[in-house]
Amino acid sequence: MTRAVRHMPTEDDGAVPDGATVFDDQYPGVANLDGELLKALREAAIDAAEDGVEFYVNSGWRSPEYQQELRLDGVAKYGSEEEAARWVATPETSPHVRGQAIDIGRSDARAWLSENGARYGLCQIYSNEPWHYELRPDGCPPMYPDPSHDPRMQQ
């Protein structure tokens, strides 16, 4: 199932180039993150650097248009809205659109955050998305199997 791209996401929509880090404020995908989330990420990144680990950003803040493109891509890839919901939120429900989520690149950074992120309030939210982190300063809740089980994703 293929479709024509309706909107090619740009950096202004939150697309980040390869190699972008949590310190790269020139990219809206980083700069438009929630301030407390960004502060926690940067504190964790400084400490992770002492272990030789760098936090690269695969995705952070996204415009609603960018999120909609990702959702449409998910439906095309997985064959239905129901299956796409296991991986991609709608623009109305996505924490990325609100600047409250980040997808961290590279396995060493994800492993470091898995082990140490809770000290900074950085929590993996979904079992099927080891790259997706959100700020939960009061402690990390049990993970949902995937976004379709998260009550925040229900419209």
Side-chain angles (χ1 to χ4, degrees):
M1 184 188 241
T2 61
R3 64 176 184 79
V5 173
R6 292 168 181 78
H7 174 81
M8 181 58 90
T10 66
E11 286 181 5
D12 287 342
D13 290 307
V16 292
D18 289 343
T21 74
V22 297
F23 298 101
D24 288 331
D25 284 336
Q26 70 267 33
Y27 304 117
V30 174
N32 291 345
L33 288 169
D34 172 80
E36 292 300 310
L37 172 60
L38 194 53
K39 179 181 177 198
L41 284 163
R42 288 177 174 170
E43 289 174 3
I46 289 167
D47 291 346
E50 293 176 11
D51 293 331
V53 175
E54 192 163 6
F55 287 6
Y56 293 97
V57 179
N58 283 350
S59 189
W61 168 85
R62 300 175 189 148
S63 70
E65 295 81 12
Y66 185 9
Q67 188 66 35
Q68 181 64 15
E69 281 302 311
L70 292 173
R71 181 64 176 218
L72 293 172
D73 288 346
V75 172
K77 179 176 182 178
Y78 299 110
S80 71
E81 285 281 342
E82 184 177 90
E83 281 301 305
R86 296 184 60 231
W87 300 97
V88 187
T90 66
E92 297 78 22
T93 61
S94 175
H96 285 279
V97 172
R98 295 186 306 275
Q100 296 174 338
I102 190 164
D103 293 346
I104 294 292
R106 304 208 181 149
S107 60
D108 61 339
R110 292 190 298 265
W112 194 95
L113 274 173
S114 178
E115 188 174 322
N116 301 289
R119 292 189 313 206
Y120 306 87
L122 299 170
C123 302
Q124 182 184 342
I125 303 300
Y126 307 118
S127 296
N128 71 329
E129 294 186 7
W131 53 83
H132 180 99
Y133 279 81
E134 298 179 23
L135 182 64
R136 301 291 172 88
D138 295 328
C140 294
M143 281 187 261
Y144 296 107
D146 61 58
S148 69
H149 291 86
D150 185 341
R152 300 174 305 162
M153 299 301 124
Q154 310 311 311
Q155 296 187 48

